[in-house]
Amino acid sequence: MNGTPRLRSAYPSTPDSTQKRYGQKIPSVGQGNPHLSLRSPASPPDHGLAPMIPFTVIDAPSQRLYASLFYACLTIWRLSDFFGLVHNDTESLSLFLRWILIDSVFLYGLPVLQIPWLQFSSLTTTFLVVLHILFSAFLMFRIPIPVVSWVIAVSKIFYDRELAVSERSVKPATILHNASLILGKQIIHILPEGSAMLNPDELPFCIDSSKTAVNLPIRINQTNPIFIELLRFDLDTNLNETLTVGSREINKLKRLADKDYDRNDKSSPRFLRYMVKEPGLYRLQKVVDESNLEVQRRISDTLVVNCPSASIQAVPQDKCKGDLSDFRLQVHATPPFEIKYSKIVNQIDDGRSVLNIHPENLVSPLARPQKSGALVRSDSSSAIDLSWARTQIVEIPLNESLGVSGGWQYMIDEVKDACGNVANYTSLRLPEVGQQKLLKGRPLEQHFIVHERPTIALRGYDSQHPVKVEKGRYKAVPIDVSSMGPGSLNKGNFKVSYSFTAQENIMSGQKHSGAAVTKEAIVRDSSHGFEIREPGLYTLQSVETAFCGGEVIEPSSCLLINPPEPDLVVNAENIPDKCAGNSIGLQVDLDISGTPPFSIFYNVKQKGGHVTAHVEKIDRLHTQLQLKPMHGGHYIYEFTSISDAVYAEPRSLLQKHMILEQDVRPPAIARILDARPARKACLEEPVMFAIQMLGLPPYTIEYELIHRGRRKKHMVARIQENLYKLTTEPLVEGGEYTLALTSITDTSGCKVSLKDEAKVDVSLQRPRAAFGYLEGKRSIRALENQKAWLPLRLQGEPPWTLEYKNLGSSRDHRHKKTLRNTNDQLEVTDNGTYQILEVRDHTCPGTVDQSADQFDVRWLPRPSVQVAESPSIEQLGDRFVRKEVCEGDEDMTDVFFTGNPPFDFAYEQRVRPEHGSQSMSRKNIKAGLNTASLRMETTQPGVYEYKFSKLGDTSYGHDDRKFTPLVVEQRVYPRPQASFSHAGKTYKYCQDEGAGDEVVPINLVGQPPFQLELEIKHHTVSKPERINIPNIGSNKYNLHIPHKVLTLGTHYVTIRHVQDARGCQCKMDYNAPYVQVSVADIPSISPLEERIDYCVGDRISFTLSGAPPFNVFYTFENRERKAAVSSTAFRRIAEKPGEFTITALSDQRSTDACKARTRITKMIHGMPSVRVSKGRTAEVDIHEGGEAEILFEFGGTPPFQFTYTRSTAPQKGKRPETLETKNEISYEYSKTIRASDEGMYEVVAIRDKYCAFSTQMAQGKPEQKLLTNW
């Protein structure tokens, strides 16, 4: 049945799963089973969206306030665009499209902010956008909005009353929606047959140690059983047993079932929950009711199995990158089943995996899409095989490649058996035990720590570059150890394995021989590596960390050798002087053995002097060493030790007694001490150098001065000192000079050639300074007190030092300035003539160009303003007074400027009105020429004062200290005004009355006498007539309307123009106030419809002509009545049946003696009615095939036509569904119909000879026409 409620779940619902992150604890919850939750899959929790602007920054009420203010600003902007269109009398498509865009962005963007109370649904937002588009269309296209009609329509929602023909206010709804016209309904029930069914909702059931029993639901419908028989098949033995439920236990189960239903609800199905404690396949075998008849039952098998569970067979957690996970999931469940597990890699959720497990050779009815009905055939007990329903233990291997280093975590989330029983582990996990979660001793999680694999290579050594080590010493071979991937290796020791072949066993091509041995080393520091000592070939074989083996990359081999120790052999011979024949030194031949480079250590001792140690660095095996002392005497040379690249510790040579002796008398020599760096000199100045000489004085020196390829020789003799100051002749040409020492002669007479020389750079010209040009002249016009930059032209070597003064200054003060650019500028702030006095560059003094040593600086004049002379302007003291004007007239004043345009000036406009307080405003104007026109303000009468307060031009800004304000004053007279004393009033005239009897009072404001122009327009004539009235000498005037301009009907009298004695005038617009003059005839009345017959609820309408208000006289229910009508329409709603007759009519001008007589009659008929089952709701129970009578009773005027429906029986919270609709006609006041179908019968519409009524009117559906004339 449709109303049958569904059973509650046999197990409590599991809380929603939350994904556990790697290494995060999950608290235990609740009581009962602390580790397992059996449930059907639940929907995820509803998570709310956070606001875009956090409430900690701006609270929710403030956000709503800001949004409302922003919407108000948009509305003001929209209305300003509308008033602009009204002012310009135009329409705008572009403004309409712009407001569509603005409204859409605002309304669709508002819900995104997630502001409380402003979170509209998408449907609501779309409705608001459409509403705003319509509103913008009304405004931007200036479509008239029927505001009054809307206000009336809205007001009728709260107050809807009309006058009835009985002259009292009634609610139309009480007449139109009279539900009492159709009363009663009849409900026919067909009694159903009883039934019983086991587990109709196909719920899953399971039993374990924590849930030892389950309640199997048995649904009974329209029956009271007294005996129930269940059949249970054992899952292990395939044997069956019969379970019997007696009447006492059934009554107890029924009482428990009745608690879930209302006491008066006897027809709804009941669920008897029978408890079982053993697994098996259960079937409802037999049900007997209280009449000892077997109840119809539907075969439906229900399985009760062992609850599913799962665990992990834990393995060691340390793995290497690229290894397989290699662990197993163990599942206890009824196949086929489904297991879900999650994986977290480096604290990042890697998703959930689902495994559907269907063991081989398993044929199970639970695998079929439709599992309802009989699961086994019980024709023969020996043929039953329930092995497919037994719990099986299945181990599922998980071999996933661990391709990322770091932390891996596998977690069992859920296991679901073939029946639909679910064991969920996500939310009910126990606290951590070690690094795994346990469920009664079985782990639910598997953790792995995946380590990076190392790579190893030699650092700085390979097979092409042997390692050279001293004999008997160790050598630390550095290595590079890194990870294969982006991750880092764990800190700790490395185990390195390498092969070694002794040097004498190395095969050709530097290969290992069969005598190679494998060795291992523990490396703690890769930069230090491992130590080797014996000469031979070493090759890396493998590398291992504490967890993973690695890979050897190139270079992986190196050769260690022990080179021979360094040694030295010395041979020496004298170096003779070519002139005197004396020995000037020794030439020593050195023969060296070892590994270059070498360091040779020797001592030099001069007779009577001290010992000096020397070291020679030599990078070859043979070389020559010249020992040539600078000074004469007896010298002893002893070679003490030697070292090379391998044997860094010097090896002693003292045992070889390598000692050399000689007597030295060196030749004379001279050198320039200050030859470096190159000397700079000024033009026409000499240069001095320091010369050092060695030998026996006196000395003679010869030198040359070389310039531009020309050589000039010089000689200086009889020099007694060893240090001599050599001064050249003045250098008169610019450029590079070279001073070269050519020879020296001492007392021995031997002339020795010299090579020493020095460079001198002489400037090509003397430094020079002059002023440059600015726009072809040496003068500038600058702003007052502003900086000016004077161009300079400088020659020489920077930097320059310049001295100058201002000739225009009262103080004779010299200024000094350091300049670094040849075209530098001189910064000055005072006006006057500036003169350059002296200049000097980096090394030399210079000259000043007398023709360009002065520069003139002058200031630009400041701007000024003046009012143009005019006959309409008069100067009174420090201000200018302009001629008076009238309010609203155009007037301008010209002003002149001096300075550099454009000009920026500001003025203050002060208004002293005739009434009210004065005001002041500031205005800024930019003038592009030396003249500007100032528009005088005339919008308000009073005295205007214009004060020019600021002025600036292109060169100068405004300066209060240098500007004198300018004031212009003008008086503005007010416009004259004319108005009716009683604007809007209607002055009434009869058609036969004389002209001039009525007067219209007019008020005038201004200086008399006045001139007045009036417009008189008849409502049927398009062209109005104008009347001019001159010389009105006072401010009050009574208007006598000429009778010749008045005709029958309504006239509108409007003031169009007025002028006073000052010449000021005022023209009235076309919306100015007016008065009416009505010349009317006798009133009349006529119906809007020609028909005579009306129904109760109809509206009877008439149109009136004449001068409102009207009085309508009529009779109803044999009573004379009078109705006051303020408009030209007279309407009344037909409240009751009867005869309605109009007898007379009068308007505002009419009297009782001259009112209009008439006779218009309308007949009002009552509404038809119908009663079903005497107007009550009757319920009739029949059996299948029986019939029931339905009585219809009518009220009204025959014949009657009615419509009735058959619908479903009413249920709580559900609307009846219409099954069929029929129409019938009755010429009598009652009718009987026989029915045999189940349902609810009721009348929905009734019609008699004149009127009709439908229940749609009673339900408030005015869109359908319910009252009609038949």
Side-chain angles (χ1 to χ4, degrees):
M1 297 178 65
N2 295 335
T4 302
R6 297 185 64 86
L7 285 177
R8 295 188 297 271
S9 174
Y11 291 89
S13 60
T14 302
D16 293 328
S17 303
T18 56
Q19 188 63 47
K20 178 180 178 296
R21 297 295 179 188
Y22 178 75
Q24 181 181 5
K25 293 185 178 180
I26 298 179
S28 59
V29 296
Q31 296 180 354
N33 187 354
H35 57 83
L36 185 60
S37 156
L38 299 178
R39 60 163 181 85
S40 296
S43 60
D46 185 16
H47 298 286
L49 296 177
M52 180 174 291
I53 303 176
F55 293 150
T56 56
V57 179
I58 303 177
D59 56 15
S62 299
Q63 293 190 29
R64 288 194 294 270
L65 176 62
Y66 297 153
S68 301
L69 292 177
F70 185 74
Y71 180 77
C73 294
L74 291 179
T75 303
I76 295 174
W77 186 13
R78 191 197 316 264
L79 293 177
S80 67
D81 289 344
F82 168 68
F83 290 128
L85 295 176
V86 172
H87 179 74
N88 297 326
D89 194 18
T90 184
E91 301 173 353
S92 176
L93 177 61
S94 61
L95 290 180
F96 174 64
L97 297 177
R98 183 183 73 183
W99 280 109
I100 290 178
L101 178 62
I102 293 175
D103 291 335
S104 300
V105 171
F106 176 75
L107 293 174
Y108 281 115
L110 188 61
V112 178
L113 299 177
Q114 294 296 321
I115 300 175
W117 301 357
L118 297 180
Q119 299 170 326
F120 304 129
S121 65
S122 58
L123 182 61
T124 303
T125 304
T126 304
F127 174 74
L128 292 176
V129 169
V130 172
L131 196 63
H132 281 71
I133 291 175
L134 294 177
F135 182 59
S136 299
F138 276 105
L139 293 181
M140 300 305 131
F141 296 114
R142 296 177 59 198
I143 301 174
I145 302 176
V147 178
V148 177
S149 301
W150 291 357
V151 171
I152 293 174
V154 172
S155 64
K156 285 188 176 183
I157 298 176
F158 306 98
Y159 184 82
D160 184 15
R161 288 184 176 272
E162 294 186 22
L163 285 175
V165 292
S166 60
E167 286 303 311
R168 66 185 185 92
S169 296
V170 297
K171 290 184 178 180
T174 60
I175 301 174
L176 297 174
H177 304 164
N178 188 3
S180 64
L181 296 175
I182 299 178
L183 295 177
K185 62 184 68 174
Q186 184 163 317
I187 302 174
I188 299 176
H189 297 288
I190 296 178
L191 298 177
E193 295 184 2
S195 63
M197 184 178 181
L198 176 64
N199 192 17
D201 296 328
E202 301 177 11
L203 301 176
F205 297 97
C206 69
I207 295 175
D208 63 1
S209 58
S210 62
K211 190 72 174 180
T212 59
V214 295
N215 294 321
L216 298 182
I218 303 173
R219 185 182 69 189
I220 58 174
N221 185 24
Q222 302 295 329
T223 184
N224 290 318
I226 60 174
F227 176 79
I228 298 176
E229 186 177 277
L230 293 172
L231 191 64
R232 185 184 81 86
F233 295 89
D234 190 270
L235 301 181
D236 296 327
T237 63
N238 296 330
L239 300 178
N240 62 60
E241 64 173 330
T242 302
L243 305 178
T244 302
V245 185
S247 59
R248 180 177 298 179
E249 188 173 358
I250 292 175
N251 291 333
K252 182 179 178 181
L253 295 178
K254 283 192 62 179
R255 286 194 298 270
L256 294 176
D258 289 339
K259 294 181 179 180
D260 297 332
Y261 299 90
D262 187 78
R263 180 177 300 178
N264 298 324
D265 186 0
K266 302 299 183 179
S267 60
S268 297
R270 298 295 192 268
F271 287 85
L272 308 181
R273 290 178 171 82
Y274 179 68
M275 179 183 295
V276 297
K277 298 183 179 180
E278 296 182 7
L281 187 145
Y282 291 84
R283 177 179 294 174
L284 190 61
Q285 184 72 8
K286 186 177 182 181
V287 179
V288 178
D289 63 5
E290 56 190 358
S291 61
N292 291 323
L293 296 177
E294 187 172 345
V295 178
Q296 181 183 358
R297 56 187 172 79
R298 179 182 174 187
I299 299 300
S300 177
D301 292 342
T302 299
L303 269 177
V304 178
V305 297
N306 292 321
C307 293
S309 63
S311 63
I312 292 178
Q313 294 181 351
V315 297
Q317 65 177 1
D318 289 306
K319 294 282 186 178
C320 296
K321 185 177 178 180
D323 288 351
L324 297 178
S325 56
D326 193 18
F327 69 98
R328 294 175 179 271
L329 305 178
Q330 190 177 76
V331 181
H332 299 250
T334 300
F337 55 82
E338 177 185 282
I339 184 170
K340 298 180 181 179
Y341 68 93
S342 299
K343 181 171 59 177
I344 296 177
V345 181
N346 292 328
Q347 300 185 4
I348 298 176
D349 190 354
D350 200 30
R352 173 180 288 189
S353 299
V354 180
L355 300 178
N356 294 305
I357 309 301
H358 193 289
E360 294 183 3
N361 302 322
L362 175 68
V363 178
S364 173
L366 299 177
R368 299 196 303 262
Q370 181 65 31
K371 295 179 288 186
S372 61
L375 298 178
V376 297
R377 297 182 61 183
S378 59
D379 299 339
S380 175
S381 60
S382 60
I384 295 178
D385 181 13
L386 297 177
S387 59
W388 53 268
R390 297 168 190 164
T391 300
Q392 297 187 18
I393 301 175
V394 180
E395 292 186 355
I396 306 168
L398 286 184
N399 282 309
E400 297 184 3
S401 178
L402 307 177
V404 178
S405 61
W408 288 62
Q409 182 181 11
Y410 289 88
M411 301 178 296
I412 297 178
D413 294 335
E414 185 179 278
V415 59
K416 180 180 180 181
D417 65 7
C419 300
N421 298 298
V422 178
N424 186 279
Y425 302 106
T426 57
S427 59
L428 300 178
R429 301 183 188 271
L430 295 176
E432 291 186 357
V433 179
Q435 289 189 344
Q436 295 182 341
K437 298 287 171 59
L438 300 179
L439 180 64
K440 287 192 175 180
R442 300 197 302 272
L444 297 175
E445 299 182 4
Q446 174 65 53
H447 293 256
F448 291 115
I449 299 177
V450 181
H451 306 276
E452 287 281 358
R453 294 184 180 272
T455 61
I456 186 171
L458 296 178
R459 183 195 303 172
Y461 298 101
D462 55 26
S463 59
Q464 303 299 323
H465 300 84
V467 181
K468 299 178 180 181
V469 183
E470 298 181 27
K471 293 180 181 179
R473 292 205 174 187
Y474 287 95
K475 177 65 176 181
V477 181
I479 57 176
D480 284 327
V481 181
S482 61
S483 66
M484 291 184 178
S488 59
L489 295 176
N490 294 332
K491 295 182 178 179
N493 300 333
F494 303 95
K495 182 179 179 181
V496 179
S497 174
Y498 61 93
S499 298
F500 168 70
T501 300
Q503 186 174 3
E504 61 272 11
N505 297 327
I506 298 176
M507 300 177 64
S508 60
Q510 290 191 358
K511 297 182 179 179
H512 290 280
S513 65
V517 295
T518 300
K519 299 183 179 182
E520 293 182 350
I522 303 301
V523 179
R524 294 177 175 82
D525 185 3
S526 61
S527 61
H528 182 270
F530 58 93
E531 294 182 344
I532 58 177
R533 180 178 180 180
E534 300 177 10
L537 181 62
Y538 294 84
T539 302
L540 295 175
Q541 297 296 332
S542 63
V543 61
E544 295 180 5
T545 64
F547 307 102
C548 304
E551 180 182 351
V552 178
I553 61 177
E554 296 298 329
S556 62
S557 299
C558 69
L559 182 64
L560 186 142
I561 61 175
N562 296 136
E565 296 184 1
D567 197 6
L568 177 65
V569 177
V570 178
N571 294 312
E573 63 180 7
N574 291 326
I575 302 175
D577 186 1
K578 296 180 180 180
C579 176
N582 300 323
S583 176
I584 62 173
L586 289 176
Q587 181 163 316
V588 184
D589 291 332
L590 303 178
D591 294 319
I592 312 170
S593 61
T595 305
F598 303 96
S599 296
I600 299 177
F601 302 88
Y602 66 94
N603 296 330
V604 179
K605 181 179 180 182
Q606 188 179 6
K607 187 177 181 181
H610 59 280
V611 178
T612 304
H614 294 267
V615 180
E616 289 291 336
K617 302 290 185 180
I618 301 172
D619 58 357
R620 58 179 64 90
L621 298 177
H622 177 78
T623 189
Q624 288 184 341
L625 179 65
Q626 288 188 350
L627 303 175
K628 297 172 65 177
M630 297 291 295
H631 303 280
H634 183 75
Y635 290 87
I636 299 175
Y637 303 93
E638 182 180 10
F639 292 88
T640 59
S641 60
I642 185 173
S643 65
D644 64 0
V646 177
Y647 297 88
E649 187 70 23
R651 296 296 192 264
S652 177
L653 299 175
L654 295 178
Q655 71 276 11
K656 290 190 174 185
H657 302 287
M658 294 182 182
I659 300 174
L660 303 175
E661 297 187 16
Q662 74 168 155
D663 291 321
V664 178
R665 186 178 180 185
I669 191 172
R671 64 189 181 96
I672 303 173
L673 295 181
D674 51 356
R676 299 290 183 273
R679 188 76 60 86
K680 291 186 179 294
C682 297
L683 192 66
E684 300 177 354
E685 291 184 1
V687 182
M688 182 181 292
F689 290 95
I691 308 298
Q692 184 185 28
M693 293 165 288
L694 298 176
L696 299 176
Y699 303 101
T700 299
I701 294 179
E702 294 181 356
Y703 69 92
E704 293 179 347
L705 275 177
I706 305 170
H707 177 62
R708 296 181 181 176
R710 299 191 302 270
R711 296 175 178 267
K712 187 175 182 181
K713 297 184 177 181
H714 300 270
M715 185 179 67
V716 182
R718 295 184 298 276
I719 301 175
Q720 300 295 329
E721 301 86 1
N722 288 334
L723 184 63
Y724 177 69
K725 298 292 185 180
L726 176 62
T727 303
T728 67
E729 62 185 9
L731 306 179
V732 296
E733 295 183 5
E736 184 181 71
Y737 284 81
T738 302
L739 174 66
L741 298 181
T742 58
S743 65
I744 182 173
T745 306
D746 62 356
T747 188
S748 65
C750 291
K751 187 175 182 180
V752 180
S753 298
L754 301 175
K755 299 179 180 180
D756 205 5
E757 64 181 23
K759 301 290 185 180
V760 179
D761 187 8
V762 180
S763 57
L764 298 176
Q765 61 182 2
R766 297 179 66 83
R768 179 178 174 276
F771 281 115
Y773 288 100
L774 277 180
E775 298 178 358
K777 55 185 178 180
R778 291 188 178 90
S779 63
I780 185 175
R781 293 174 63 83
L783 299 179
E784 183 179 349
N785 295 327
Q786 297 294 319
K787 294 180 180 179
W789 286 268
L790 311 184
L792 295 174
R793 301 294 180 262
L794 304 174
Q795 296 178 358
E797 292 293 330
W800 292 270
T801 300
L802 187 73
E803 290 190 9
Y804 66 95
K805 71 175 182 178
N806 187 356
L807 300 179
S809 177
S810 59
R811 299 177 297 172
D812 188 12
H813 183 65
R814 297 167 68 95
H815 303 274
K816 185 177 289 187
K817 180 77 172 179
T818 300
L819 306 169
R820 301 186 181 277
N821 193 349
T822 56
N823 296 307
D824 216 331
Q825 293 178 330
L826 185 63
E827 179 182 322
V828 298
T829 56
D830 298 328
N831 64 338
T833 301
Y834 289 84
Q835 183 180 27
I836 301 175
L837 303 177
E838 294 180 7
V839 66
R840 181 180 180 86
D841 69 355
H842 179 60
T843 55
C844 306
T847 60
V848 178
D849 188 352
Q850 298 300 322
S851 63
D853 63 340
Q854 293 184 359
F855 204 100
D856 191 27
V857 179
R858 293 291 179 265
W859 285 347
L860 291 171
R862 286 189 168 274
S864 62
V865 61
Q866 185 63 38
V867 178
E869 295 182 0
S870 173
S872 60
I873 293 181
E874 179 183 2
Q875 183 173 3
L876 298 177
D878 59 347
R879 64 180 55 208
F880 294 87
V881 179
R882 187 165 178 82
K883 183 180 179 181
E884 300 86 352
V885 294
C886 295
E887 179 184 359
D889 291 350
E890 292 290 336
D891 194 18
M892 289 187 177
T893 298
D894 293 332
V895 292
F896 294 103
F897 301 98
T898 59
N900 295 322
F903 299 92
D904 292 317
F905 69 96
Y907 65 90
E908 297 176 357
Q909 176 180 304
R910 300 180 183 271
V911 183
R912 298 195 299 274
E914 294 184 351
H915 305 286
S917 58
Q918 67 178 11
S919 61
M920 188 269 287
S921 61
R922 293 181 175 88
K923 297 183 179 180
N924 297 313
I925 300 178
K926 190 167 187 176
L929 301 174
N930 292 84
T931 61
S933 297
L934 177 64
R935 182 178 179 276
M936 312 302 286
E937 186 69 36
T938 60
T939 57
Q940 183 181 3
V943 178
Y944 288 82
E945 180 183 279
Y946 304 88
K947 181 179 180 181
F948 293 86
S949 56
K950 292 183 180 180
L951 178 63
D953 62 358
T954 305
S955 303
Y956 291 96
H958 176 72
D959 190 347
D960 292 333
R961 299 171 298 178
K962 305 287 180 72
F963 180 73
T964 301
L966 182 67
V967 179
V968 178
E969 187 178 285
Q970 185 181 40
R971 176 177 290 278
V972 177
Y973 290 126
R975 290 177 178 176
Q977 298 293 329
S979 61
F980 293 106
S981 299
H982 306 287
K985 182 180 178 180
T986 300
Y987 296 89
K988 295 175 285 294
Y989 290 83
C990 293
Q991 187 176 6
D992 55 353
E993 292 183 358
D997 295 337
E998 295 289 335
V999 295
V1000 180
I1002 297 176
N1003 297 326
L1004 299 168
V1005 178
Q1007 183 69 32
F1010 299 95
Q1011 293 182 7
L1012 195 63
E1013 181 179 344
L1014 301 176
E1015 179 182 278
I1016 302 176
K1017 182 178 180 299
H1018 192 271
H1019 71 282
T1020 60
V1021 180
S1022 60
K1023 184 178 180 182
E1025 295 188 13
R1026 293 184 179 268
I1027 300 176
N1028 292 314
I1029 305 175
N1031 298 324
I1032 300 176
S1034 66
N1035 296 91
K1036 297 287 185 178
Y1037 179 69
N1038 291 325
L1039 173 62
H1040 296 269
I1041 301 177
H1043 188 265
K1044 62 182 180 179
V1045 299
L1046 298 177
T1047 59
L1048 185 63
T1050 302
H1051 301 76
Y1052 299 92
V1053 181
T1054 309
I1055 300 174
R1056 288 300 178 207
H1057 181 267
V1058 62
Q1059 181 176 343
D1060 65 356
R1062 297 192 184 103
C1064 298
Q1065 57 185 353
C1066 179
K1067 293 183 179 180
M1068 306 298 180
D1069 57 16
Y1070 286 92
N1071 294 324
Y1074 61 88
V1075 295
Q1076 297 185 27
V1077 176
S1078 178
V1079 180
D1081 204 350
I1082 298 176
S1084 62
I1085 183 172
S1086 59
L1088 291 180
E1089 296 178 299
E1090 296 298 331
R1091 63 174 176 152
I1092 298 176
D1093 294 311
Y1094 287 81
C1095 297
V1096 172
D1098 286 353
R1099 291 171 175 82
I1100 306 174
S1101 301
F1102 300 88
T1103 181
L1104 310 177
S1105 63
F1110 299 92
N1111 289 324
V1112 179
F1113 301 88
Y1114 65 93
T1115 59
F1116 182 69
E1117 294 181 335
N1118 297 322
R1119 289 180 53 189
E1120 296 286 341
R1121 303 177 187 271
K1122 177 182 177 181
V1125 182
S1126 59
S1127 63
T1128 58
F1130 174 62
R1131 187 179 72 167
R1132 291 294 185 267
I1133 187 170
E1135 175 191 10
K1136 302 176 182 178
E1139 182 178 319
F1140 178 83
T1141 303
I1142 302 293
T1143 58
L1145 174 69
S1146 66
D1147 63 357
Q1148 188 178 17
R1149 299 188 305 272
S1150 303
T1151 62
D1152 292 340
C1154 61
K1155 60 186 177 181
R1157 301 290 178 176
T1158 185
R1159 187 170 184 83
I1160 303 174
T1161 301
K1162 304 292 183 181
M1163 295 300 298
I1164 302 174
H1165 302 278
M1167 297 296 294
S1169 63
V1170 62
R1171 302 288 186 270
V1172 181
S1173 299
K1174 300 297 183 179
R1176 300 187 302 272
T1177 299
E1179 295 190 14
V1180 179
D1181 296 332
I1182 63 174
H1183 294 282
E1184 188 74 25
E1187 290 185 341
E1189 291 186 351
I1190 305 175
L1191 176 62
F1192 299 90
E1193 298 175 309
F1194 307 103
T1197 303
F1200 299 98
Q1201 180 180 353
F1202 63 99
T1203 301
Y1204 69 95
T1205 63
R1206 182 177 67 89
S1207 57
T1208 59
Q1211 298 179 7
K1212 185 176 181 181
K1214 187 175 181 181
R1215 297 184 60 182
E1217 179 183 355
T1218 300
L1219 301 176
E1220 62 177 335
T1221 303
K1222 292 185 177 180
N1223 295 316
E1224 296 287 345
I1225 296 178
S1226 175
Y1227 296 92
E1228 304 295 334
Y1229 285 94
S1230 65
K1231 187 179 181 67
T1232 301
I1233 297 176
R1234 303 183 66 85
S1236 60
D1237 295 327
E1238 184 181 30
M1240 179 175 62
Y1241 294 82
E1242 57 183 337
V1243 177
V1244 295
I1246 178 68
R1247 179 192 297 269
D1248 68 355
K1249 183 178 180 180
Y1250 299 104
C1251 303
F1253 179 76
S1254 172
T1255 54
Q1256 294 179 345
M1257 172 177 290
Q1259 296 170 1
K1261 298 182 180 178
E1263 67 273 7
Q1264 300 188 16
K1265 184 174 179 62
L1266 304 178
L1267 297 179
T1268 59
N1269 189 7
W1270 193 15

